[in-house]
Amino acid sequence: MARLASHVWVGAYLRILSADAVPAYVVARGDATAGAVLIKVATLDGQAAAWQRSYDFERDARVWMELASGPEGEVDRAVAAQRRTDPDLWVIEVEDREGRTFLDTPGLE
């Protein structure tokens, strides 16, 4: 199956968040075509979670997996470590008190 270029997926994701009035920011721009995407959700109470796409061999599918969660500083350190190992990584920061990622929205899979 063909994959969307990263910048197209990021644009669609930001539009979905905007439609629900959820603030989101591109913290790091990765490779426009094939950069991986990491989503950080800050709940505005000092907590956060970060999500990345991984391959699930049991399901034979790409799925969103939690990379880190807890105090926002710890999550930021995990995100920074990922950026050091992957300079093509996109990082999108979402601010949502409920901690919603919207990654289960149809069309984003």
Side-chain angles (χ1 to χ4, degrees):
M1 176 190 326
R3 288 181 47 194
L4 282 178
S6 300
H7 74 96
V8 174
W9 188 93
V10 167
Y13 183 61
L14 293 174
R15 279 189 287 286
I16 287 167
L17 295 170
S18 177
D20 278 316
V22 175
Y25 311 92
V26 177
V27 176
R29 289 187 185 277
D31 181 82
T33 304
V37 179
L38 188 146
I39 306 296
K40 175 189 164 195
V41 180
T43 54
L44 307 174
D45 62 356
Q47 300 293 304
W51 299 84
Q52 66 182 2
R53 292 283 283 214
S54 295
Y55 193 77
D56 183 334
F57 289 98
E58 287 184 19
R59 291 192 265 177
D60 190 31
R62 291 179 49 80
V63 296
W64 287 96
M65 306 278 291
E66 187 176 286
L67 169 70
S69 65
E72 190 167 4
E74 290 179 18
V75 174
D76 286 340
R77 284 188 285 283
V79 171
Q82 290 295 313
R83 288 198 61 214
R84 281 191 298 277
T85 61
D86 184 357
D88 292 330
L89 182 68
W90 288 79
V91 178
I92 311 300
E93 184 165 337
V94 177
E95 294 179 348
D96 185 71
R97 292 188 190 282
E98 298 174 40
R100 299 173 297 171
T101 64
F102 294 82
L103 295 171
D104 57 352
T105 301
L108 287 180
E109 54 282 323

